[in-house]
Each structure stands twice: as C-alpha cells, then as structure tokens.
Amino acid sequence: MLLKAQHPTIIVGAGMAGLAAGIALAAKGEPVTILEARGYPGGKMRQIMPGQQRQNGAVAYGAEGSEHPAIQGIDSGPTVFTMKWVFERLFALCGTSPETELNLTKASTLARHAWDGLKGANGHAHFDLFADEQASIASVGDFFGAADAAGFARFCTDSRAIYTTLRETFIAAQRPSPIALANRVGWTNLSALLALRPMSTLWSALGDYFPDPRLRQLFGRYATYVGSSPYQAPATLMLIAHVEQDGVWTIDGGMHALARAMQRLALSKGATIRLDSPVASVETIDGKAGAVTLDNGERINAGRILWCGDISALRDSLSDNQGRKNHRRFPPVPEKHRSLSAITWSAKAKTSGFALDHHNVFFSPNYRAEFDSIFRDRETPADPTVYLCAQDRRSDGSGVSGINQDTGERMLCLTNAPAFGDRRTLSQKELATCQNAMIARLSACGLTVELEPSQTVITQPSTFNTLFPGSGGALYGRASHGWMASFARPGAKTAVPGLYLAGGSVHPGPGVPMATLSGMLAAQQILADRVST
C-alpha cells in the first residue's frame, strides 16, 4: 500500500538509522526529507583524511575519499561489517542486494590478539580467531590448551543459542518489555529463557568456559562493542561471538562506502537528502510534532519527524510553536550511565616488529583496572587495551595492499575513554600522555608504530560530543549494565504524537547493523501508524 502525505516525513540525521528509515519509507512511496548537519552521510561512519585540511582549518571528514578514488581515507568510526542479513532485508526493498551495491570480501581471520610478553603453548606471540569454528577451536587448543578448546566449543554452542533465541524476538523486533520478550520466546520454552543468562555478568559467565584469564579478556571485550564493561554487562552479550562467526566482511572503499550505497538507494526511491543542514529545533504544534527549524532559520513543515540523533540532545531541541521547551519529556542519560567514549588516532604510520592483520587487539595486563578507571573514576586508563585496524591489510589470507614503505600504512588506533566530553576537554599534555600509553602498550606486545604528527588526527571525547551533540562523547548511547539495560533504551514511538526515534541510543542498540535495524523499525512503526489513522 502506497501512502501519501501533505508534508513529508522529516528525518533528522543521515547516519545508518536515518538512511535505513529513508530507504524503507521511500520504497513505500512515503515522501521523505533527510536533514544532515554535516557534508557527508554516515554519521559515526566517517572517514578522515590525515594531512588534508579544509579552508576553515577543520579536519577533512567523510566525502572526499569517494569523490577522488586515488585518495584513500581512513575509516575512523565503525570498522566491522557484520549481520549482513540486515542489509539484505533493507536492500531488497529496492530490488537489490549488498553484493550488487558493494564489493565485499569475507574475512577468514576475525582478529589477531596479543598480550604483554606472553606466548602461547605453540610459541607464537599472537593468537588468531577464525571465521571457521573448527579452525578457531584448533587455534585455541594450540595456544591455550585442551581445556580451553573444549570450553570454547561449548561457548560457541551457547552463544549461537542465545543469538538464535533473540534474533527475531528482540533484535529485529519492536522494543519489548521483559514480559513481552518472554511471551515472544514462549513461557513453555523456559530453557531458552534461562540460557540467556541475563542475571550473570559477562565476566563471571566466561569463567565457566575458560580457565585461561586471557580468553576471558578476549571474549569479555565483546561488552565494549556496546560501550560497556564486561564486569557489569549481562552474559547475554555472549551472542556477539556468534555474530562474528556468522560472518565478518570488509568493504572496498572502507565502511564509508556502505553509507554512500545507502545514500544512493534512498535517492533512487525518491528521498530528498540535504547535507550541511543542521537542525536547530524540533517544533510541536498543538501537541504534535509538526516542523523543524534549521540553524539558518529555515522552517520546514513535517507530516511526522524521526529523530536519529542521540536521544540526550532531544531534550534541548524540542519546543512548542511558542518556543517553550519541555525538558521533562526526554531527560538526558546521566553521565554515570553513559557508554564508553574513545580516544582515536587516524594515521598513516610506519610499523615494524609485529605481523599485523586487518583487526588487531593488544590487551592491557590489568583489565579490571582499565574499566574501573573509566566507569568508576571517570579517568582515562593508565595502561589501556588498544584496538588497531590496519586498513591496508586483508583478513582473507591475501596479505597486504597499498602500503607505501616511505609513508606507511593507514590505521585507526583506539583506546576506550570515559564519556565526559561535555564537561572536560583533554589538554595537549593529557593527550600526549594517552598517546604514550597507547604506544607503550603496542611496544610491550612487540609492535613499533611511528606516528608522524602531520599524518595523524586525534579525536577525543569532547570532539565526539561536538560531532554528536548531547552524547557527552558516548559512542553507544546508554551503557548496557545490568539485566534491565536493554529495556531502558526507548523504542521507535514516543509519547509525542508524530515524533519517532531511531539510532544507536535507541532499541535495539548501538553498532552498524543495530542502528540500521532501528531505522527500519522506526519506518515500520511510522507506516503502521499512518495506516491506522
């Protein structure tokens, strides 16, 4: 059924959620206008061009790499493409597929891991996880021993069961209450409900599988995929292990190519996308969302509005047609409940001493101290775990490409940090201390990285707060701490008629496929409400 409206659905934000909602609505004939504050689509899925500056001195983000194929940007947000079925569903609305629109390569190696001065039983200084489950079981056995290999096999079975239970009942469905989720799973299927292990922390559950604490670190890191601590996040997040084993892909042109492909699909279905169009306010008229005003004063009437920014920014953006704000409707997430932020180094750098893969993790020897610093003390950790995405190296076994021995290779280095970006900016001295700690962690694991300041762009929590207003620099919305955390995220429909929500701070949560699903769920809700009225 094709629906027509006097005014279009206004979507605020052209990140994954906004683009997905735009595609889903436009494919059903709904007039859609997507307003994006920046000059490129993708939201957190941005690229940085080290060494290139715009005329105003700002860092060059986003679009340039795709316009000039000879210039390769550095993915400086999400770097992993998983849950391809989400994009198969979305692209099918336009009669196409991810394989048609993107050049995808499935990874054979999921990630390479290293610890301070420690080697496995096989004598290697690094440990690899593979897309093939049996290869990973053998790898665990070679590095850690038979007991951990057996534990990993059980872990794979249990994580698959959790994912299978929740995929259609929670992840791809409108936000349920705990009771509604139990109804969807089925009260007679009590074993499946208990297997979700919502009352156990991820860290405690991992002790049931792995005698070696290094493997608890490795799989505990999955909590950081949703911006959380493994010591406080529920064991349900074990499902991420199966998400990765179900398939990890790299995209030619980087992750930003996905945003560009979604932009093309939205436009092909008739959506209007306006870049460089920051929204100053969302206006209610007679209690219903009815217009937005841009920073330049332009006012645009709307049939309905889908907010895809951080929900904490909506509190100060929503007003009635008399300009009066209602701060009680959308209280911001308190700092203590925010998810992780980060410090990132987007760079071209020379490396030596360690055989990098595409995805690499260098673990701190004291994991608990790292998360205590961030979530308890609200300080950057003294000895952080480092994620390094070596973007000229391939995970399909074909080696490397595009590395210039004179200028080095493209990489993103990331350490976790507190989301205090709305009240604190790290000084140059503090950033230098963080960089030295990051370099020292890599060095302790055998990797030497030579960062050239002119080829390095550092992003800190206050910068992320500027890029994503209202977030405080939190990259994943609310932290997933405690068994009720997943139900604390709002769903697509709000108490304000005509106002809807999507994005990483909304159900089903953060991450590229989850934010995309949130946009699809919001479009589904909008279309259902249009039919009912």
Side-chain angles (χ1 to χ4, degrees):
M1 179 178 180
L2 299 181
L3 302 171
K4 298 298 180 184
Q6 182 178 359
H7 298 299
T9 296
I10 298 294
I11 299 175
V12 181
M16 289 295 98
L19 291 171
I23 292 169
L25 290 170
K28 292 295 185 181
E30 179 77 6
V32 173
T33 297
I34 304 175
L35 302 173
E36 169 55 47
R38 307 204 168 270
Y40 56 90
K44 295 183 177 72
M45 192 179 287
R46 64 200 180 111
Q47 286 190 333
I48 288 179
M49 312 302 193
Q52 295 188 27
Q53 305 291 317
R54 291 180 175 161
Q55 290 182 352
N56 62 4
V59 174
Y61 294 106
E64 296 87 340
S66 60
E67 305 299 332
H68 305 284
I71 301 174
Q72 288 187 297
I74 297 171
D75 277 340
S76 299
T79 57
V80 180
F81 183 68
T82 59
M83 294 173 64
K84 184 158 66 73
W85 59 269
V86 172
F87 301 93
E88 290 169 347
R89 290 185 184 182
L90 178 65
F91 285 34
L93 298 177
C94 301
T96 186
S97 68
E99 287 80 4
T100 301
E101 303 299 325
L102 300 163
N103 293 319
L104 299 174
T105 302
K106 190 170 185 178
S108 57
T109 303
L110 298 179
R112 179 157 290 172
H113 310 84
W115 290 267
D116 188 351
L118 295 176
K119 294 184 178 180
N122 60 5
H124 291 167
H126 61 259
F127 166 71
D128 290 347
L129 270 183
F130 300 100
D132 181 86
E133 184 176 316
Q134 293 305 313
S136 285
I137 291 173
S139 182
V140 171
D142 287 345
F143 198 95
F144 298 101
D148 282 293
F152 178 71
R154 289 189 293 108
F155 179 72
C156 290
T157 299
D158 292 350
S159 65
R160 183 184 303 113
I162 294 173
Y163 179 76
T164 301
T165 298
L166 292 179
R167 175 173 144 164
E168 300 300 332
T169 60
F170 184 83
I171 295 172
Q174 299 289 350
R175 185 183 77 87
S177 66
I179 297 298
L181 176 61
N183 287 333
R184 291 176 185 176
V185 174
W187 288 99
T188 57
N189 194 4
L190 186 59
S191 60
L193 289 170
L194 293 175
L196 300 178
R197 303 185 70 164
M199 301 301 181
S200 300
T201 67
L202 180 58
W203 186 263
S204 66
L206 291 172
D208 296 339
Y209 299 95
F210 304 113
D212 196 302
R214 289 172 293 178
L215 282 175
R216 286 176 230 165
Q217 263 194 309
L218 192 159
F219 294 109
R221 185 174 170 273
Y222 287 152
T224 69
Y225 287 29
V226 294
S228 305
S229 164
Y231 301 97
Q232 300 180 67
T236 311
L237 292 177
M238 285 167 48
L239 65 84
I240 296 174
H242 183 70
V243 167
E244 289 196 333
Q245 287 179 339
D246 203 36
V248 174
W249 287 262
T250 56
I251 304 173
D252 283 2
M255 291 292 288
H256 194 69
L258 173 60
R260 287 291 179 185
M262 291 171 65
Q263 179 189 36
R264 291 194 302 271
L265 291 180
L267 292 171
S268 74
K269 289 300 176 182
T272 298
I273 300 178
R274 293 179 54 177
L275 304 176
D276 294 310
S277 301
V279 170
S281 65
V282 173
E283 183 180 312
T284 60
I285 302 172
D286 297 326
K288 179 183 181 299
V292 299
T293 301
L294 305 186
D295 277 2
N296 63 8
E298 180 184 357
R299 187 174 181 274
I300 305 173
N301 290 322
R304 61 213 48 80
I305 298 169
L306 173 58
W307 177 268
C308 296
D310 194 285
I311 57 172
S312 291
L314 191 53
R315 174 178 181 265
D316 291 323
S317 298
L318 187 66
S319 62
D320 63 18
N321 54 334
Q322 302 299 316
R324 295 172 298 201
K325 296 185 181 296
N326 187 338
H327 284 169
R328 292 176 296 175
R329 282 197 182 273
F330 297 97
V333 176
E335 183 178 332
K336 66 179 180 180
H337 293 310
R338 291 174 184 165
S339 64
L340 291 168
S341 187
I343 302 171
T344 65
W345 292 262
S346 304
K348 291 196 72 174
K350 297 179 182 178
T351 64
S352 60
F354 184 94
L356 289 168
D357 204 85
H358 191 78
H359 300 292
N360 309 269
V361 186
F362 301 86
F363 284 103
S364 165
N366 192 336
Y367 219 34
R368 187 177 289 275
E370 181 175 353
F371 288 98
D372 282 347
S373 293
I374 294 171
F375 286 107
R376 184 190 67 193
D377 304 332
R378 311 302 296 173
E379 295 290 343
T380 57
D383 189 359
T385 295
V386 181
Y387 166 70
L388 191 157
C389 181
Q391 297 178 26
D392 294 313
R393 301 189 184 243
R394 303 178 66 88
S395 295
D396 61 351
S398 62
V400 300
S401 63
I403 297 178
N404 185 315
Q405 296 301 323
D406 294 326
T407 60
E409 57 187 299
R410 296 175 303 136
M411 65 177 61
L412 172 70
C413 295
L414 180 150
T415 61
N416 295 318
F420 51 33
D422 52 347
R423 65 173 178 82
R424 180 179 172 191
T425 298
L426 296 172
S427 67
Q428 290 301 311
K429 182 178 179 180
E430 289 173 313
L431 286 175
T433 298
C434 293
Q435 179 168 309
N436 290 338
M438 182 269 291
I439 294 292
R441 170 67 10 233
L442 299 179
S443 179
C445 295
L447 175 65
T448 298
V449 173
E450 301 175 42
L451 291 178
E452 167 59 45
S454 66
Q455 293 294 318
T456 304
V457 174
I458 304 175
T459 308
Q460 62 161 304
S462 60
T463 313
F464 286 121
N465 183 61
T466 300
L467 289 169
F468 313 115
S471 67
L475 298 175
Y476 312 88
R478 178 184 289 267
S480 296
H481 291 162
W483 77 275
M484 280 294 292
S486 294
F487 301 103
R489 295 178 183 274
K493 192 169 185 176
T494 75
V496 178
L499 180 63
Y500 299 83
L501 304 175
S505 58
V506 175
H507 173 77
V512 172
M514 297 297 209
T516 301
L517 277 171
S518 79
M520 296 168 69
L521 291 170
Q524 181 186 92
Q525 185 67 60
I526 289 169
L527 292 170
D529 289 350
R530 290 270 286 114
V531 170
S532 69
T533 56

